[in-house]
Amino acid sequence: MTGLSVSQGTAFRSSWRPSRCLQNGRHYALSLTFPPVRPPASQPLGSLTLRPFSLTYDDPLQPVTSDETVSVGGAVTLTCRVAESDNSSLQWSNTAQQTLYFGEKRALRDNRIQLHRSTPTELSIIISEVQLSDEGFFYFFFVRTYFLPHISGLEHPVQEGGTLTLTCTSTGSKPPARLRWFRGDMELQGRPDVVESVPDEPTYNVSSELTLEVSRADDNQVVTCAVDHPSLAPGDKRSEQALQVLYSPNVQILPESDLPREGEKFHLECLGNSNPEPSSYIWEKKDGELPPLAKAEGTFLRFEALNKSDNGVYLCFADNGIGSSVGEYVLLVQDAAENIADPTAMSTSSSVDHAVIGGVVAVIVFILLCLLIVFGRYLIRHKGTYLTHEAKGSDDAPDADTAIINAEGGNSGVEDKKEYFI
């Protein structure tokens, strides 16, 4: 905390009002009074005196400040340091307890106030054009981000179909934090935040409520309450709780094998799928009693040697105190292994037959192709050639009529047309 007082005349009195220095979630009430003193000759009239305060006990996390003097209209640098850092936030506030800087983040829009340096162990600001209205106390807070949210309302499990109300609370934030709800990766809408100021402290407590109607699918789902605050990175402060939902069994029967064979050992397993796990299992055979060689052992129904007479519908009843349920399984016993032909041998024989048939077809196709080629060559060699010898002289006829007469053999002087077949 740094005090500003203005000097008037030849003497002034500086009075420290009660204030608080927050550190590790605690506060210290401070009250100091200085007697009238005469300002040194070197100090001009109308100047402002800034006198910081720090506790003197040995604490590496305790803020430390130094005295500063500034004239009206001048500029002053307010610096506060801590010897060690535990990733907490450093904050300067003005006389009205308005936050000026939260780390390197500006909180108040006043161009006269600028950030000088911000490190994990130091926060310095510069106030220019100092005015008489600045007289008062500037507060420095070493604020540990201890406003980790806390979720309540999950002290006891809730039954399926029931309604659950959760409350998330964050304390000690300034400015007030904003709370957000998530179920898994999906954000949920809770009731508006309730903000309460802390008595005798410049911080706030924030709470939010979320109401859920739960189902068995919500069992072990993670509900998260996250804090949004200027001093924190997104998701930096959050609290997670797993939902615990009680629900009745959903019975499923699993066989040891999908092909139970006569004479073999075999068992059925009953899965309750409930919360809590079923406390009792009862095995029955629909429309009859369990076979003599079948033995019920909790979640298992065991058969020492299967028989065709074991065929039928088997039931498993499971109860967990919340409710009960039943599952069914139809048992159909297959023939013994020695009465079934070896599928490997059958597959091998079938493969051989297919290979033989394929070879025969290939030979027949080859022979047909060869016959087609030979027959084609034979037809080409013995094909007849038809030649005609036109009557000579028709080309030299003076007109068409004469040419026709000559062609028909009307001209005795021309040799008759002969045809030859070769």
Side-chain angles (χ1 to χ4, degrees):
M1 180 178 66
T2 298
L4 280 75
S5 62
V6 62
S7 59
Q8 301 288 344
T10 58
F12 67 91
R13 185 172 185 271
S14 175
S15 177
W16 291 85
R17 294 174 294 182
S19 180
R20 287 166 301 281
C21 180
L22 294 183
Q23 195 268 337
N24 296 346
R26 299 171 293 173
H27 69 275
Y28 305 92
L30 309 176
S31 179
L32 297 175
T33 301
F34 293 90
V37 295
R38 180 179 300 277
S42 60
Q43 179 174 317
L45 294 180
S47 66
L48 296 177
T49 302
L50 292 79
R51 299 185 61 84
F53 174 83
S54 63
L55 297 180
T56 57
Y57 66 88
D58 187 14
D59 186 350
L61 298 179
Q62 175 59 39
V64 178
T65 58
S66 60
D67 293 351
E68 301 289 346
T69 300
V70 60
S71 299
V72 173
V76 63
T77 300
L78 303 183
T79 301
C80 189
R81 298 181 178 88
V82 291
E84 297 179 4
S85 172
D86 63 348
N87 296 324
S88 300
S89 298
L90 308 181
Q91 173 185 332
W92 274 109
S93 297
N94 62 10
T95 57
Q97 294 191 3
Q98 295 173 313
T99 301
L100 305 178
Y101 273 90
F102 206 113
E104 61 182 10
K105 297 180 181 179
R106 177 197 294 269
L108 183 67
R109 295 184 179 275
D110 189 340
N111 293 331
R112 297 184 306 120
I113 305 174
Q114 300 292 331
L115 178 67
H116 179 250
R117 181 181 294 108
S118 176
T119 68
T121 58
E122 178 183 341
L123 181 61
S124 301
I125 60 174
I126 298 176
I127 305 177
S128 58
E129 301 178 8
V130 176
Q131 306 169 4
L132 290 177
S133 59
D134 293 326
E135 183 179 38
F137 298 94
F138 281 77
Y139 299 88
F140 178 84
F141 296 98
F142 173 75
V143 183
R144 295 188 66 182
T145 54
Y146 61 91
F147 38 91
L148 182 70
H150 172 71
I151 298 177
S152 59
L154 289 173
E155 292 78 11
H156 305 286
V158 61
Q159 288 194 20
E160 178 183 20
T163 300
L164 181 66
T165 299
L166 305 178
T167 302
C168 180
T169 304
S170 173
T171 61
S173 59
K174 183 177 184 297
R178 188 170 74 91
L179 303 180
R180 300 169 63 187
W181 290 97
F182 295 88
R183 177 165 54 185
D185 296 329
M186 182 178 65
E187 185 169 2
L188 304 176
Q189 186 64 42
R191 297 178 185 175
D193 293 352
V194 177
V195 180
E196 297 178 349
S197 60
V198 179
D200 300 327
E201 292 186 11
T203 59
Y204 301 89
N205 295 339
V206 184
S207 63
S208 176
E209 288 189 350
L210 175 69
T211 301
L212 295 174
E213 184 175 345
V214 297
S215 65
R216 65 179 59 206
D218 294 320
D219 189 37
N220 291 323
Q221 278 277 352
V222 175
V223 174
T224 303
C225 177
V227 175
D228 270 355
H229 195 268
S231 67
L232 302 175
D236 191 25
K237 295 294 180 181
R238 59 175 54 208
S239 181
E240 297 180 346
Q241 294 284 345
L243 296 176
Q244 297 184 23
V245 182
L246 305 178
Y247 53 93
S248 59
N250 180 19
V251 177
Q252 181 183 11
I253 300 179
L254 298 181
E256 179 183 9
S257 170
D258 293 333
L259 291 174
R261 299 194 181 281
E262 190 175 14
E264 295 180 348
K265 287 187 176 182
F266 182 73
H267 71 253
L268 298 176
E269 183 179 7
C270 185
L271 300 181
N273 300 318
S274 66
N275 185 27
E277 289 296 323
S279 56
S280 67
Y281 294 90
I282 299 176
W283 287 95
E284 293 182 3
K285 184 178 182 181
K286 195 172 184 180
D287 302 327
E289 297 182 354
L290 291 177
L293 296 181
K295 184 178 180 181
E297 297 178 351
T299 60
F300 291 93
L301 179 63
R302 303 184 185 277
F303 297 83
E304 293 299 324
L306 285 175
N307 192 284
K308 289 293 186 72
S309 61
D310 296 333
N311 290 342
V313 179
Y314 289 84
L315 308 177
C316 176
F317 296 86
D319 192 311
N320 68 343
I322 304 298
S324 60
S325 180
V326 60
E328 294 186 358
Y329 178 80
V330 179
L331 177 61
L332 183 60
V333 180
Q334 307 295 319
D335 291 334
E338 58 268 15
N339 297 332
I340 301 177
D342 186 359
T344 305
M346 293 179 64
S347 176
T348 304
S349 176
S350 177
S351 300
V352 172
D353 293 343
H354 291 165
V356 172
I357 293 173
V360 172
V361 171
V363 171
I364 293 175
V365 171
F366 178 76
I367 293 174
L368 290 176
L369 289 176
C370 292
L371 291 176
L372 286 175
I373 293 173
V374 172
F375 185 69
R377 292 176 61 86
Y378 176 80
L379 290 179
I380 292 173
R381 289 185 178 182
H382 294 80
K383 181 179 180 181
T385 302
Y386 180 76
L387 298 177
T388 59
H389 293 272
E390 301 284 345
K392 294 181 180 180
S394 60
D395 293 338
D396 299 331
D399 52 35
D401 293 337
T402 304
I404 291 173
I405 294 171
N406 292 339
E408 293 178 350
N411 190 349
S412 60
V414 179
E415 187 178 356
D416 292 340
K417 179 180 70 174
K418 297 181 179 180
E419 294 182 354
Y420 302 91
F421 294 92
I422 301 175

Coordinates of all heavy atoms in Angstrom, one line a residue, residues 3-8 13-14 17 47-49 95 130-138:
G3 N 0.9 5.5 0.2 CA 0.0 6.7 0.5 C 0.5 7.9 -0.2 O 1.7 8.1 -0.4
L4 N -0.4 8.7 -0.7 CA -0.1 10.0 -1.3 C -0.7 11.1 -0.5 O -1.9 11.1 -0.1 CB -0.8 10.1 -2.7 CG 0.0 9.4 -3.8 CD1 -0.3 7.9 -3.7 CD2 -0.5 9.9 -5.2
S5 N 0.1 12.1 -0.1 CA -0.4 13.3 0.6 C 0.2 14.5 0.0 O 1.3 14.5 -0.6 CB 0.0 13.2 2.1 OG 1.4 13.2 2.2
V6 N -0.5 15.6 0.0 CA -0.1 16.8 -0.6 C 0.4 17.8 0.5 O -0.3 17.9 1.6 CB -1.2 17.5 -1.4 CG1 -2.4 17.8 -0.6 CG2 -0.7 18.7 -2.2
S7 N 1.5 18.5 0.3 CA 2.0 19.4 1.3 C 1.5 20.8 1.0 O 1.4 21.3 -0.1 CB 3.5 19.4 1.3 OG 4.0 19.8 0.0
Q8 N 1.1 21.5 2.1 CA 0.5 22.9 2.0 C 1.2 23.7 3.1 O 1.1 23.3 4.3 CB -1.0 22.9 2.2 CG -1.7 22.1 1.1 CD -1.7 22.7 -0.2 OE1 -1.4 23.9 -0.4 NE2 -2.0 21.9 -1.3
R13 N 0.7 17.1 7.7 CA 0.4 15.9 8.5 C -0.1 14.8 7.5 O -1.0 15.0 6.8 CB -0.6 16.2 9.5 CG -0.9 15.1 10.5 CD -1.8 15.6 11.6 NE -2.0 14.6 12.7 CZ -3.0 13.7 12.6 NH1 -3.8 13.6 11.6 NH2 -3.1 12.8 13.6
S14 N 0.6 13.7 7.6 CA 0.2 12.6 6.8 C -0.4 11.5 7.6 O 0.2 11.1 8.6 CB 1.4 12.0 6.0 OG 1.0 10.8 5.3
R17 N -4.8 5.6 6.8 CA -6.1 5.1 7.2 C -6.0 3.6 7.2 O -5.1 3.0 6.5 CB -7.2 5.5 6.2 CG -7.4 7.0 6.2 CD -8.4 7.4 5.1 NE -7.8 7.2 3.8 CZ -8.4 7.5 2.7 NH1 -9.6 8.0 2.7 NH2 -7.8 7.3 1.5
S47 N 3.8 19.7 -3.7 CA 4.3 18.3 -4.1 C 3.5 17.2 -3.5 O 2.9 17.5 -2.4 CB 5.8 18.2 -3.8 OG 6.0 18.2 -2.4
L48 N 3.5 16.1 -4.1 CA 2.8 14.9 -3.5 C 3.9 13.9 -3.0 O 4.9 13.7 -3.6 CB 2.0 14.2 -4.6 CG 0.8 15.0 -5.1 CD1 0.1 14.2 -6.2 CD2 -0.2 15.4 -4.1
T49 N 3.6 13.4 -1.8 CA 4.5 12.5 -1.2 C 3.9 11.1 -1.2 O 2.8 11.0 -0.7 CB 4.9 12.9 0.3 OG1 5.5 14.2 0.2 CG2 5.9 11.9 0.9
T95 N -7.0 4.9 -5.2 CA -7.6 5.3 -3.9 C -9.1 4.9 -3.8 O -9.5 4.7 -2.6 CB -7.5 6.8 -3.7 OG1 -8.2 7.4 -4.9 CG2 -6.1 7.3 -3.7
V130 N 0.4 14.0 -12.4 CA -0.2 13.8 -11.0 C -1.0 15.0 -10.6 O -0.6 16.2 -10.8 CB 0.9 13.5 -10.0 CG1 0.3 13.4 -8.6 CG2 1.6 12.3 -10.4
Q131 N -2.2 14.8 -10.1 CA -3.1 15.9 -9.7 C -3.4 15.7 -8.2 O -3.1 14.7 -7.5 CB -4.5 15.7 -10.4 CG -4.3 15.7 -11.9 CD -5.6 15.3 -12.6 OE1 -6.6 15.1 -12.0 NE2 -5.5 15.2 -13.9
L132 N -3.9 16.9 -7.6 CA -4.3 16.8 -6.2 C -5.3 15.8 -5.9 O -5.4 15.3 -4.8 CB -4.7 18.2 -5.8 CG -3.6 19.3 -5.7 CD1 -4.3 20.7 -5.3 CD2 -2.5 18.9 -4.7
S133 N -6.2 15.5 -6.9 CA -7.2 14.5 -6.7 C -6.7 13.1 -6.5 O -7.4 12.2 -6.1 CB -8.2 14.6 -7.8 OG -7.6 14.3 -9.1
D134 N -5.4 12.9 -6.9 CA -4.8 11.6 -6.7 C -4.4 11.4 -5.2 O -3.9 10.3 -4.9 CB -3.5 11.5 -7.6 CG -3.9 11.5 -9.1 OD1 -5.0 11.0 -9.4 OD2 -3.1 12.0 -9.8
E135 N -4.6 12.4 -4.4 CA -4.2 12.2 -3.0 C -5.0 11.1 -2.4 O -6.2 10.9 -2.6 CB -4.4 13.5 -2.2 CG -4.0 13.4 -0.8 CD -4.2 14.8 -0.1 OE1 -5.3 15.4 -0.3 OE2 -3.4 15.2 0.7
G136 N -4.3 10.3 -1.6 CA -4.9 9.2 -1.0 C -4.0 8.0 -0.9 O -2.8 8.1 -0.8
F137 N -4.6 6.8 -1.0 CA -3.8 5.6 -0.9 C -3.9 4.7 -2.1 O -5.0 4.5 -2.7 CB -4.4 4.7 0.3 CG -4.3 5.4 1.6 CD1 -5.3 6.2 2.1 CD2 -3.1 5.4 2.4 CE1 -5.2 6.8 3.3 CE2 -3.0 6.0 3.6 CZ -4.1 6.8 4.1
F138 N -2.8 4.3 -2.6 CA -2.7 3.3 -3.7 C -2.4 2.0 -3.1 O -1.4 1.9 -2.3 CB -1.7 3.7 -4.7 CG -2.1 4.8 -5.6 CD1 -2.2 6.1 -5.2 CD2 -2.5 4.5 -6.9 CE1 -2.6 7.1 -6.1 CE2 -2.9 5.5 -7.8 CZ -3.0 6.8 -7.4

